[in-house]
Amino acid sequence: MKYSPIQNFIDGGFVPATSGRSMTVVSPLDGSLLSTVPLSDADALESAVAAARKAFPAWSRTPIKERVQVFFRYKTLLEKHLDELSTLVMEENGKTYDEAKAEMEKCIELTEFATSLPQLVTGEVLEVSRGVECRTEHVPLGVVASIVPFNFPSMVPHWSIPNALALGNCMILKPSEKVPLSSGRIAELLKEAGLPDGVFNVVHGDTSIVEAICDHPHIEAVSFVGSTRVARIVYQRATANYKRCLALGGAKNHLMVMPDALPDMTAQNVAASMSGCAGQRCMAASAMVAVGEVDHIVQRIVEEAKKIVPGQNLGAVINKESKERIERYITEAEAQGAKVLLDGRNAVVAGKEEGTYVGPTVIDGVRPDMAVATEEIFGPVISIMRTKTVDEALKIENANPYGNAASVFTQNGGVARYVMERASAGMVGVNVGVPVPREPFSFGGWNESKFGVGDITGKSSIAFWTKLKKTTIKWNPEAGVNWMS
Ligand code: NAD
């Protein structure tokens, strides 16, 4: 076992879980044993919440300009340990080193944004009548929780950690039990950056710990990122317990390719979008609607996809079940009459036979009612549907229940504008394969890709992680007696 058994991080230190339940952590790259992760019980959550509640009064009263100093130092530590942190992400998730490094660079950008919060979080003040002023300020909520998925072991936690903490909250992070290693280093580096004990805690576990978070009377807000099935469960349970909740779910992102799209640029973007992080991105292109005569572009996509090689510039999918599920989708589409132009089934990487790889897969002739057209596959697979008009393409895009991302590839500004206005997705791209908004713009889908109000990152996160206090002040005796008295 490469790393010692993982422990929870509570009140500034690592503590063993007492539940007696644990799981092995295996690298998808080669099947090697990395560590074990405890599946904690409610006692561990109790200790973490107690530590966070104890830390909250002092942390929330620390001026925000002081709080963000921790994140200036933390950003420097992320830069200093970039290689080590990227390697950890690569090992536990199975993505390539370059992808893991890009993930860590995004963590740095998210931390940078948090250091700018003092500039953005100022309240308002107005003399509402003679000698009387009203002011508003953003007040932290208290103890909050963040529940995260396997596909970005460090980036998705950084969607919530820097902003929630810089805004004065104390947090319990529940990492994915499939990728629990990075969170320990995040906790250590935050401590090294000067974060007081108890402000950030990590409790590992599975379903039961998520349920305990949703039920806990002293947790004020829950952010969740994961599949739509679980997002629904968490949103319903947390809000039924009167908590604030933002739950991001799965996706089925459509790229609409017009005949006038630039062939090389489009093909490179489509191939990169479908296969980046082995297709395990909630922003990955999973369906392509080819409008009109675009055979020449489809052919270029296949050529580009052939350059993506498992074990070289394509990482592994998370586990054996995932590999089997993805391959089942391809087999089923083929049996239903779709044409597999490039087949990634049965990929094996020499010397890493226990790794779980799927090669890039391009499926043409997909009908909109097939499972590969409607369901989230979460693998390096693109399903191509054909339409005659852009309206038919939009009809397919609009009919899918998700709404994370949609993109159009065209050189025609009018067509681009037409699609931008009509796509039913929270994040829309024009000639962009993965239209993730950069900071300070916020990240968040629509429809069944997100339950709750607002977005998780950027300026929008301020509304989620704080409550507004409205104060009316009268110092001036001349203000007299009026309806506000
Ligand atoms: P998942 O829903 O299986 O797990 C997410 C978290 O929920 C994990 O921490 C897990 O321990 C917990 N969990 C799992 N089952 C549970 C249950 N029944 N009750 C309570 N908690 C439970 O998701 P995953 O497989 O880890 O991640 C992949 C999914 O996440 C994909 O659907 C992907 O699209 C989605 N995702 C979405 C976004 C977004 O921004 N919308 C970003 C990243 C990933």
Side-chain angles (χ1 to χ4, degrees):
M1 192 157 86
K2 182 163 182 188
Y3 299 102
S4 51
I6 292 166
Q7 299 187 327
N8 292 328
F9 187 88
I10 297 173
D11 208 9
F14 288 104
V15 286
T18 51
S19 69
R21 289 200 305 138
S22 67
M23 254 177 63
T24 54
V25 184
V26 170
S27 176
L29 292 172
D30 56 7
S32 61
L33 182 62
L34 293 175
S35 184
T36 58
V37 59
L39 301 177
S40 313
D41 56 18
D43 287 349
L45 183 66
E46 275 315 324
S47 311
V49 172
R53 289 186 78 198
K54 191 173 68 166
F56 180 69
W59 180 243
S60 57
R61 277 192 219 112
T62 304
I64 188 165
K65 276 161 109 42
E66 261 179 59
R67 286 196 301 253
V68 298
Q69 296 311 312
V70 171
F71 292 96
F72 280 109
R73 293 190 290 270
Y74 178 66
K75 172 186 179 277
T76 310
L77 289 171
L78 290 179
E79 285 161 349
K80 183 175 160 197
H81 295 281
L82 186 61
D83 176 55
E84 173 216 334
L85 294 164
S86 308
T87 304
L88 209 49
V89 166
M90 175 188 73
E91 287 177 331
E92 63 176 335
N93 173 273
K95 59 184 70 177
T96 66
Y97 180 82
D98 287 350
E99 288 167 345
K101 188 159 169 260
E103 171 168 349
M104 288 315 307
E105 281 161 353
K106 184 68 194 174
C107 296
I108 292 168
E109 186 182 354
L110 289 157
T111 304
E112 267 169 21
F113 174 77
T115 63
S116 73
L117 280 167
Q119 286 30 274
L120 298 172
V121 83
T122 53
E124 293 175 328
V125 61
L126 180 73
E127 186 180 39
V128 290
S129 68
R130 221 169 277 275
V132 179
E133 74 180 37
C134 281
R135 51 181 270 166
T136 60
E137 60 199 300
H138 295 275
V139 176
L141 302 176
V143 180
V144 300
S146 175
I147 302 161
V148 292
F150 78 79
N151 61 329
F152 286 95
S154 204
M155 183 189 78
V156 173
H158 281 84
W159 282 355
S160 57
I161 299 167
N163 292 350
L165 302 192
L167 290 165
N169 299 288
C170 295
M171 178 180 277
I172 319 291
L173 176 75
K174 206 302 277 176
S176 163
E177 61 275 38
K178 293 173 188 154
V179 293
L181 283 159
S182 293
S183 54
R185 286 300 284 140
I186 294 171
E188 283 179 320
L189 294 177
L190 282 168
K191 187 177 166 109
E192 194 179 332
L195 192 73
D197 292 350
V199 174
F200 179 69
N201 307 274
V202 182
V203 178
H204 294 282
D206 55 7
T207 303
S208 61
I209 210 75
V210 172
E211 290 171 352
I213 287 172
C214 293
D215 295 345
H216 202 290
H218 296 306
I219 294 178
E220 307 296 332
V222 176
S223 80
F224 171 89
V225 182
S227 62
T228 292
R229 183 183 68 82
V230 183
R232 280 181 196 286
I233 296 171
V234 169
Y235 187 77
Q236 282 185 345
R237 193 155 176 158
T239 55
N241 283 307
Y242 310 106
K243 296 184 199 315
R244 208 176 262 205
C245 184
L246 189 56
L248 275 61
K252 186 80 186 172
N253 306 313
H254 289 64
L255 303 182
M256 286 160 269
V257 176
M258 304 297 142
D260 69 341
L262 293 178
D264 285 353
M265 188 263 268
T266 304
Q268 283 157 8
N269 278 271
V270 173
S273 178
M274 66 170 268
S275 67
C277 298
Q280 300 175 126
R281 287 190 288 190
C282 64
M283 293 295 281
S286 173
M288 174 178 142
V289 191
V291 180
E293 182 36 64
V294 294
D295 279 351
H296 60 296
I297 301 179
V298 171
Q299 196 186 330
R300 285 288 297 113
I301 291 171
V302 174
E303 284 163 17
E304 283 300 322
K306 278 184 182 161
K307 297 180 194 163
I308 299 163
V309 182
Q312 291 176 24
N313 52 358
L314 177 63
V317 298
I318 190 70
N319 54 27
K320 203 159 166 271
E321 294 79 61
S322 208
K323 176 177 160 77
E324 286 168 3
R325 194 197 65 244
I326 297 162
E327 295 189 342
R328 249 192 332 269
Y329 272 114
I330 303 168
T331 304
E332 192 184 298
E334 195 174 37
Q336 291 172 340
K339 198 164 172 216
V340 182
L341 302 181
L342 185 64
D343 190 351
R345 285 172 289 185
N346 307 314
V348 177
V349 173
K352 294 181 178 174
E353 285 75 10
E354 294 302 311
T356 43
Y357 295 88
V358 179
T361 301
V362 181
I363 312 177
D364 199 0
V366 170
R367 290 193 313 272
D369 61 338
M370 290 180 181
V372 284
T374 57
E375 294 174 18
E376 182 176 42
I377 301 174
F378 228 48
V381 179
I382 189 124
S383 307
I384 304 179
M385 290 165 270
R386 304 281 188 148
T387 65
K388 290 198 175 68
T389 65
V390 69
D391 283 320
E392 286 172 75
L394 280 164
K395 202 169 154 200
I396 292 171
E397 191 280 332
N398 285 185
N400 105 82
Y402 297 106
N404 235 26
S407 269
V408 58
F409 284 80
T410 181
Q411 288 304 297
N412 182 320
V415 171
R417 174 104 208 145
Y418 192 80
V419 173
M420 278 161 63
E421 284 174 357
R422 289 163 179 78
S424 182
M427 293 170 279
V428 177
V430 176
N431 297 320
V432 174
V434 185
V436 175
R438 301 281 301 258
E439 313 308 306
F441 298 98
S442 58
F443 183 101
W446 287 0
N447 310 330
E448 294 190 7
S449 293
K450 190 187 72 189
F451 304 101
V453 178
D455 287 332
I456 196 164
T457 64
K459 291 185 211 166
S460 187
S461 68
I462 296 169
F464 185 71
W465 294 120
T466 62
K467 51 193 176 188
L468 208 56
K469 181 169 274 184
K470 288 74 62 179
T471 308
T472 305
I473 308 163
K474 185 167 72 180
W475 291 114
N476 188 345
E478 290 157 28
V481 173
N482 58 23
W483 67 274
M484 292 169 103
S485 304

